[in-house]
Amino acid sequence: MKITKPRLALICGILCISIFPILVKLKLAPGLISAFYRMFFAITLLLPYVLLSKNFKLPTLKFTLLAALCGILFASDVAVWNIAIQDSSATQASLLTNLSPLWVGIGSFLFLKSKPATNFWIGTVVSLFGMVTLVGFSFFMELNFNQAFLFAVLSGILYSIYLLVSKNVLSQVDVLSFMTITLIASSIYLGVLCYALDQPFTGFSNTGWFVLLLQAVICQLCAWLSISYATQHMRATRVSLSLLSQAVITSILAWMFLEEQITLQMVFGGMILLFGIRITFYDKTISYKKIFSKD
């Protein structure tokens, strides 16, 4: 499979966001305020650059409003996912929010001119089976259908809507301008929400502030500039399904830094998941030889 610039950007973005669950799991700041500072620090760093370099171009009113809507959708997704991770297990929250490829596929089929290819549906089924294998079938017997469960599902739905809307906006707006507008909208929205809910804006440890800054630089700016570029040049369905691979990378990082165990079942599940993603990158009829070919 040829590695093009959009695919390379997608890989870089996936690597950057894979550390996010590890940072959130440290619980050095409440989930909602953590989401706010992730957006606020990111726009504080990005805005001077785009203004001084004159890379910001204000789009038409329609696409400015749509980009702002994307910011609110993404901010809501991050906020509810943070809460879901901190109120339950990171595994449950990650699994449920990663159902987003299903919602993206359904949304694309209903609302976009570019319909999901057969390969997407096959790859989705294979990848979700790999995800189930990764976390363990017994895990589903222990699911708690509480607020955290609902928030994790809501996170996946919000994220899928964000991808579909952003795909439309990025067809008319450049990536830097899009990111600037979305981050301003996200920061204002989350700032007002945190103030209304009486969230603490200060009082964190030095490590806590460092982690918040790390989320902004790595998990927001680096990750979503890359993913937005990939979304601009690739199908939204492919991007959403490819992001499932972050579960594999997160498991490896959790093993390295949080001493979480990696079992043979998890390795096997990760291989199935990645194989499902590989299937979606074929536009022609799937054959055994083509899937395993090097070109």
Side-chain angles (χ1 to χ4, degrees):
M1 181 173 64
K2 184 180 179 181
I3 303 296
T4 60
K5 287 184 179 179
R7 289 176 178 174
L8 184 60
L10 181 58
I11 292 170
C12 292
I14 291 170
L15 290 173
C16 289
I17 62 174
S18 295
I19 70 169
F20 181 64
I22 307 298
L23 298 177
V24 173
K25 197 172 181 180
L26 296 175
K27 294 185 178 181
L28 298 175
L32 194 57
I33 202 71
S34 175
F36 164 72
Y37 276 117
R38 171 175 166 174
M39 307 302 169
F40 178 74
F41 285 154
I43 190 58
T44 300
L45 295 170
L46 180 63
L47 190 59
Y49 169 75
V50 295
L51 292 178
L52 292 174
S53 63
K54 298 181 180 180
N55 280 315
F56 178 75
K57 299 176 183 178
L58 186 66
T60 62
L61 178 60
K62 173 186 175 181
F63 284 100
T64 299
L65 292 175
L66 284 174
L69 175 61
C70 285
I72 294 173
L73 287 169
F74 186 76
S76 300
D77 164 39
V78 173
V80 297
W81 192 40
N82 282 6
I83 296 171
I85 291 175
Q86 294 187 346
D87 287 353
S88 65
S89 69
T91 302
Q92 174 174 308
S94 297
L95 174 66
L96 294 173
T97 196
N98 277 323
L99 292 176
S100 57
L102 284 178
W103 314 129
V104 172
I106 293 170
S108 298
F109 180 79
L110 294 175
F111 302 112
L112 297 185
K113 293 181 180 179
S114 178
K115 307 300 181 184
T118 303
N119 288 10
F120 167 77
W121 297 113
I122 296 173
T124 297
V125 172
V126 173
S127 294
L128 291 177
F129 178 75
M131 178 70 74
V132 171
T133 306
L134 178 69
V135 301
F137 293 95
S138 61
F139 167 78
F140 291 89
M141 303 300 294
E142 303 170 1
L143 279 177
N144 294 316
F145 296 91
N146 52 17
Q147 177 180 289
F149 178 94
L150 295 176
F151 272 19
V153 174
L154 178 60
S155 173
I157 295 173
L158 288 168
Y159 177 63
S160 62
I161 298 173
Y162 164 79
L163 270 182
L164 293 171
V165 177
S166 66
K167 176 65 178 177
N168 180 38
V169 178
L170 286 166
S171 66
Q172 301 294 327
V173 182
D174 67 277
V175 172
L176 283 175
S177 299
F178 171 77
M179 283 289 294
T180 302
I181 296 170
T182 57
L183 284 172
I184 290 174
S186 295
S187 300
I188 295 173
Y189 166 71
L190 287 173
V192 172
L193 190 60
C194 288
Y195 180 78
L197 295 176
D198 198 26
Q199 293 288 299
F201 285 86
T202 58
F204 311 122
S205 65
N206 290 335
T207 304
W209 284 114
F210 175 74
V211 168
L212 291 173
L213 184 61
L214 200 62
Q215 288 183 34
V217 175
I218 304 298
C219 305
Q220 188 60 40
L221 283 180
C222 295
W224 287 97
L225 283 172
S226 300
I227 294 172
S228 295
Y229 175 78
T231 302
Q232 189 177 46
H233 295 87
M234 297 171 64
R235 296 176 185 172
T237 49
R238 280 183 174 176
V239 173
S240 66
L241 192 58
S242 297
L243 291 175
L244 284 179
S245 60
Q246 68 178 284
V248 179
I249 302 171
T250 299
S251 297
I252 296 172
L253 292 174
W255 169 68
M256 293 173 61
F257 298 108
L258 300 179
E259 298 183 353
E260 293 188 2
Q261 186 180 9
I262 294 182
T263 64
L264 184 61
Q265 175 182 308
M266 294 174 67
V267 174
F268 184 59
M271 291 173 64
I272 296 174
L273 191 155
L274 295 175
F275 178 69
I277 296 171
R278 168 80 156 142
I279 291 174
T280 65
F281 282 85
Y282 285 88
D283 294 316
K284 298 180 181 180
T285 302
I286 299 174
S287 69
Y288 183 86
K289 290 184 178 179
K290 286 182 179 180
I291 291 175
F292 287 99
S293 62
K294 294 182 179 179
D295 51 15

